[in-house]
Amino acid sequence: MGEHTGNVGEGEKGVSQERSSVMRALSRLGRTADTLPRVWVIVSLTAIFSILAWTQVRPNDFWWHVRTGQWIVENGRVPNIDLFSFTRLGEPWAYQSWLMQVALYGLLRAGGLPLVIFAHAVTITTGYGLLLWTSARASGGSLRWASLATLAAAAAGLGTWNVRPQSISFPLFALVLLLIERDATRPDAERRAWWQAGWLWWLPPVFALWANAHGGFVFGLALLGAYAGAELVSWLRAQRSFPTAVIVIAALSAGATVLTPLGIGMVDYVLGFARHPITRRLNVEFMPPTVRTIPGQLFFGFVAVWVTVLVASGYRPSLRESLRLLPFGLLALWGIRNIMWFGFVAAPTMAARMRQSAPRPRRAALAGPGHRGLNRVLAGLL
């Protein structure tokens, strides 16, 4: 929030006032569950959950993950060779997502595919719920615009909702984004001591868990690295104190990713996966999006709406936003499987700009409680 602030004291005051305003708005909404803004939240998250709950399990690699989880449970350890393929049987193999493989097997054994699909729907919906929270903070507590931006981001990432270990990366990525935004809006006076990082200290254990569950942790590290870079630039411009806490936490988070059965071999796993010619040339998920496919159409449609909103509001992204929008935008253009991460980082900016562009009378009317009786009926039906 303070990248473009010439006077640090005024910047801190503005950040403090904005944060107080957002917290008051969210607090009021929390006490009035039958208001129209709250119904927007229910509608958006119910829509996301409903689509996920109707999902069929596609036979991509789900059953391979389940069978691996069964083997781990029965043998009490994580294997390090290929156990199931014909052409590579017995060759070295990294089971990086072992924790989610065990979870998928446990869910299937406990409740069959219905329980697996339900847990999958809850997990991804939780991720978009955290994104909605972040977008509401960015838009000054406006749940309507936060809900619309979240729905747009969800539509862009719809093609990546397959039932697989990647599900856990949705809430974990959203959590990292939320914690970063909470830290970015803190007054500079609260950040002078390196240990005063508040909720940001949760990131190292989050990454330790994430590295054992799915390889998407690399995108979380990229998000955290972009934030650390923005803080360093702000310090060089004399707009912030030196971000010791952010740098220490980023280093600890990166170190936490080797707390897995792979150990330091996690680095070789990540680099080898990204460099492998099969991944780059033959894996459909890592091919660039195209308008000839539905996922590509949804992505480019989202980008068109997002750019239109930014241009209409005359908004120039801050340094912090730019350092994450640019790399994640390039990642989305590089591979279909990366589209949802761009949706996550773009949604808060979209929500803030939509609220800013709305006429004030219209904005005030939509923020009102509406007809509480009808709101209760609608929420109950949903």
Side-chain angles (χ1 to χ4, degrees):
M1 298 295 296
E3 286 96 344
H4 305 295
T5 305
N7 186 297
V8 174
E10 292 179 0
E12 291 181 13
K13 182 178 179 181
V15 167
S16 179
Q17 290 175 345
E18 179 180 349
R19 184 174 62 168
S20 298
S21 174
V22 171
M23 290 301 100
R24 286 196 299 271
L26 293 178
S27 177
R28 288 196 301 271
L29 290 167
R31 295 192 301 268
T32 54
D34 55 355
T35 60
L36 186 57
R38 199 56 174 246
V39 171
W40 276 99
V41 174
I42 297 173
V43 168
S44 59
L45 296 184
T46 300
I48 293 171
F49 177 83
S50 298
I51 295 172
L52 287 161
W54 293 332
T55 299
Q56 293 182 342
V57 177
R58 300 178 185 177
N60 296 335
D61 52 11
F62 171 79
W63 297 106
W64 178 84
H65 286 299
V66 168
R67 181 65 180 90
T68 301
Q70 179 183 3
W71 191 96
I72 293 172
V73 170
E74 292 175 350
N75 291 272
R77 62 184 181 89
V78 179
N80 55 13
I81 60 171
D82 190 329
L83 298 171
F84 307 116
S85 74
F86 177 76
T87 57
R88 301 288 293 176
L89 183 66
E91 295 291 327
W93 184 263
Y95 292 84
Q96 185 271 324
S97 302
W98 71 272
L99 193 58
M100 277 300 292
Q101 290 168 338
V102 169
L104 288 173
Y105 168 66
L107 289 168
L108 185 68
R109 185 174 180 180
L113 285 178
L115 182 58
V116 171
I117 294 173
F118 175 77
H120 170 75
V122 169
T123 301
I124 293 185
T125 304
T126 299
Y128 283 108
L130 291 172
L131 176 61
L132 196 153
W133 185 359
T134 304
S135 299
R137 291 175 58 88
S139 60
S142 175
L143 292 186
R144 176 184 184 258
W145 300 118
S147 299
L148 288 174
T150 300
L151 279 175
L158 189 64
T160 59
W161 288 3
N162 296 334
V163 182
R164 60 200 316 181
Q166 181 175 260
S167 304
I168 195 63
S169 287
F170 283 79
L172 293 180
F173 186 89
L175 178 60
V176 172
L177 179 62
L178 174 61
L179 294 180
I180 286 174
E181 288 303 292
R182 286 175 62 96
D183 185 75
T185 55
R186 291 193 306 143
D188 201 53
E190 296 181 8
R191 301 151 55 93
R192 300 195 186 282
W194 67 269
W195 60 85
Q196 293 179 322
W199 288 92
L200 214 60
W201 283 110
W202 281 100
L203 289 182
V206 165
F207 277 101
L209 169 67
W210 200 351
N212 285 280
H214 184 253
F217 72 88
V218 297
F219 299 106
L221 287 178
L223 186 62
L224 182 55
Y227 177 51
E231 291 292 286
L232 280 172
V233 173
S234 296
W235 168 68
L236 291 173
R237 293 176 175 177
Q239 296 170 342
R240 288 279 200 182
S241 57
F242 187 78
T244 307
V246 176
I247 293 175
V248 168
I249 290 172
L252 291 175
S253 298
T257 61
V258 302
L259 300 178
T260 74
L262 293 178
I264 197 65
M266 180 64 77
V267 177
D268 292 333
Y269 167 80
V270 172
L271 294 178
F273 186 85
R275 295 172 179 172
H276 203 284
I278 298 298
T279 301
R280 296 200 307 260
R281 293 180 310 176
L282 301 180
N283 193 328
V284 175
E285 293 180 305
F286 290 93
M287 291 183 178
T290 170
V291 293
R292 293 190 297 270
T293 65
I294 293 179
Q297 293 166 4
L298 291 172
F299 167 65
F300 288 114
F302 172 77
V303 172
V305 172
W306 179 72
V307 171
T308 301
V309 169
L310 263 62
V311 172
S313 64
Y315 180 68
R316 294 178 60 187
S318 66
L319 175 66
R320 187 177 76 255
E321 292 170 320
S322 298
L323 286 182
R324 67 184 181 214
L325 288 169
L326 180 59
F328 280 99
L330 293 175
L331 283 170
L333 292 173
W334 180 67
I336 297 172
R337 194 168 175 176
N338 302 324
I339 288 176
M340 68 278 200
W341 308 131
F342 177 74
F344 270 83
V345 299
T349 303
M350 175 184 283
R353 296 313 111 199
M354 286 193 297
R355 181 180 185 274
Q356 183 187 52
S357 301
R360 287 188 178 276
R362 179 68 172 164
R363 189 189 312 171
L366 290 169
H371 193 291
R372 294 183 183 274
L374 290 178
N375 292 340
R376 294 190 189 103
V377 171
L378 178 58
L381 289 174
L382 288 169

